[in-house]
Amino acid sequence: MVSDLLHHLDTHRSMGLDGIHPRVLRELAEVLTKTLSILYQQSWLTAEVPVDWRLANVMPIDKKGWKENPGNYRPVSLTLVPGKVMEQIILSAITQHIQYNQVIRPSQHGFMKGRSCLTDVISFCDKMTHLVDEGKAVDVIYCPYFSWDRDNFLSSS
């Protein structure tokens, strides 16, 4: 798994605080796989993460809009690439555990890979259609989620 993750590192991403570019790790994947695997295994067994992997350089990245407005920025944490690879391994282990043990029900679309709010609505409509086709009574209350923009609401009133 470590080898696969290293071989598929995005070389267009920025380097971490250690100054090692993802391209270097990608090109040296064959050499680094065994060492990193041992580090990850030890970290997993001891429940300890190397201190350097916990450090981050938080950079403000501007979104659309005025650059003078602090609300138009989002924080991005620049961390070490080996730490990011370990995060992917842990995420994969947790995801497999959740799927294997059915911790999250299939109806919870927002928490499942490959599912979204749209697939949730489609699934719901499909279930309702089947009930109607079977001649069963169906009552539905629809409460759409919306983002309330106070400024636009006040100006349009």
Side-chain angles (χ1 to χ4, degrees):
M1 176 178 223
V2 175
S3 177
D4 187 48
L5 289 171
L6 288 175
H7 278 102
H8 290 94
L9 282 175
D10 186 355
T11 57
H12 300 291
R13 296 285 175 143
S14 61
M15 62 182 115
L17 296 174
D18 57 0
I20 300 174
H21 199 278
R23 183 180 194 130
V24 173
L25 294 172
R26 184 177 180 172
E27 291 178 9
L28 295 173
E30 299 300 323
V31 178
L32 296 173
T33 296
K34 186 172 183 176
T35 305
L36 284 175
S37 296
I38 293 168
L39 271 171
Y40 295 149
Q41 185 68 23
Q42 273 306 114
S43 182
W44 182 267
L45 293 174
T46 61
E48 293 181 22
V49 177
V51 175
D52 291 348
W53 293 0
R54 290 182 268 165
L55 299 176
N57 188 9
V58 180
M59 301 291 297
I61 304 294
D62 65 309
K63 299 185 274 186
K64 295 178 183 176
W66 282 7
K67 292 190 181 224
E68 294 81 16
N69 182 358
N72 285 334
Y73 287 84
R74 62 183 172 90
V76 174
S77 298
L78 300 175
T79 57
L80 274 67
V81 178
K84 292 178 187 178
V85 171
M86 185 171 175
E87 287 176 12
Q88 290 178 331
I89 292 169
I90 292 170
L91 175 63
S92 176
I94 290 171
T95 303
Q96 286 176 2
H97 173 79
I98 286 172
Q99 289 176 343
Y100 179 78
N101 295 302
Q102 297 179 346
V103 174
I104 296 178
R105 293 177 289 144
S107 62
Q108 292 176 295
H109 286 251
F111 301 101
M112 302 294 287
K113 188 172 186 168
R115 294 187 180 186
S116 65
C117 294
L118 180 60
T119 60
D120 186 27
V121 171
I122 292 169
S123 174
F124 173 78
C125 290
D126 188 49
K127 288 175 188 172
M128 294 303 109
T129 303
H130 284 312
L131 290 172
V132 170
D133 287 347
E134 293 172 1
K136 297 183 178 173
V138 176
D139 293 324
V140 176
I141 298 174
Y142 176 68
C143 300
Y145 172 81
F146 63 93
S147 177
W148 185 64
D149 185 349
R150 181 181 62 86
D151 295 331
N152 285 337
F153 177 78
L154 293 176
S155 64
S156 65
S157 300

